[in-house]
Amino acid sequence: MHKPLPESGRDPEDILAELRSFGAQDPDYKHSRVWSLVYYLDQAHEDFLGKAYQTYASANGLNPLAFKSLKKLEDDIISFTAGLLHAPDTACGVVTSGGTESCLLAVKTYRDRAKALRGVSAPEMIIPTTAHVAWEKGAEYFGLKIRWLPLTDDLRTDASQLEGLINDDTAMILGSAPEYPHGTIDPIPFMAEIAARRGVPMHVDACVGGFILPFMEMNGRDIPPWDYRVPGVTSISADVHKYGFASKGASTIIYRDLSYFKHQMFVSQNWPGGVFASPALLGTRPGGAYAAAWGALQYFGIAGYRDLAARTAEAVDRLSAGIAAIPGLRMLAKPQGPLIAYGAADAALNIFSVGDRMEERGWSLNRLQFPDGLHGMVTARHLDVVDTYLGDLASSVEIARAHPELAEQGAAAVYGMIAHAPFRDMVRSQVLDTFANYYVPQDDPSGKAGPF
Ligand SMILES: *Cc1c(COP(=O)(O)O)cnc(C)c1O
């Protein structure tokens, strides 16, 4: 039976109270317990973003000629971002609904560019094994073949393999700053030199790094070159709704110049609904998200973001050192931004069991595979909980080691099975079945919660 709408409308205060109550079982991000998904500062900032969002909540950025205010907000966001990325004056782009939209658009743009300029009908893209999964999604949606750049033994992108993967069908090359799984910055100058020499566009995915790496660099941290100062980089994506601390629903994609961006645009001159042109994936584009993003950028300014970056870097340093000092743990890579990844240093310790023990202590962490690991997107607020986290981690390791049978139970067993099953197509179809099942109508949706 489907849930009926209320017969008549309800009192707004009741509705708001109920909405707030729904979140009671959600991960506790307000106390920095969550290490992914959420970028939260404090209630005052949350309230400010809410008010900024509200100013344009009904406004629609679909047609840039209709709401000139939204076009101005978008132009400003693109311009501020282009400046941070050291883009040339010719740089142009759009605000998108999120990192995934920005990545998908780059795939579509370079596919269409390869077709228009070189008649490529079976386009390919070269992406590192650690590229965000949005790129794989883009390849699947838009019909490109992926050529994977392998990793070296120390989990860095093996850029020495890049040139050998380029052929006449290569539509784009990707590098990440930083990549999500292990938090390292790909060797962008090396890759971009090859890309430029071979005439292939190169996108840098700075969805997670775009609003923190520039400020870490200003603070004097050693950040290898990755932005428009590297010749050969033709576009960059950067999410305002991650380290820009905007409301959800705001990312950017910026091209070196219009000659690239033009291939992103869609035009229909024959639609009975009117001549239609659109610069990005969405039709209706949420004005509120633009206003909140614009508001966040103004609120922090360079000094505010530098302060956030400094606190984040301090947290990353203390976490990395603390994790490496726990017997049985090792950092999977040296962080070059705000992400940390660590795993077991010896085969006797099951890192997924450590993850379960951390969850029991109220932490919410993501799991990695190839190799098994635990992950954290570190924010300034995590600086407050570094010692508690490390203390809990040390005792979680002790318990996991003392009770190896725990690795065969709970989420650890599921993650272990998924990560180590040899038949990856079977894993895929089982995950698909389980996942699809979450969407089967049910009386109590909370009844089927699982590990992914
Ligand atoms: C988060 C992220 C994305 C995708 O962004 P969403 O906003 O989650 O869609 C893409 N690339 C990288 C490197 C990311 O960290």
Side-chain angles (χ1 to χ4, degrees), residues 98-101 103 132 134-135 178 180 205 207-208 239 241-242 377:
T100 298
E101 188 188 347
C103 300
H132 192 274
W135 295 95
Y180 170 89
D205 182 354
C207 282
V208 72
D239 294 353
H241 70 192
K242 287 181 180 154
M377 300 184 106

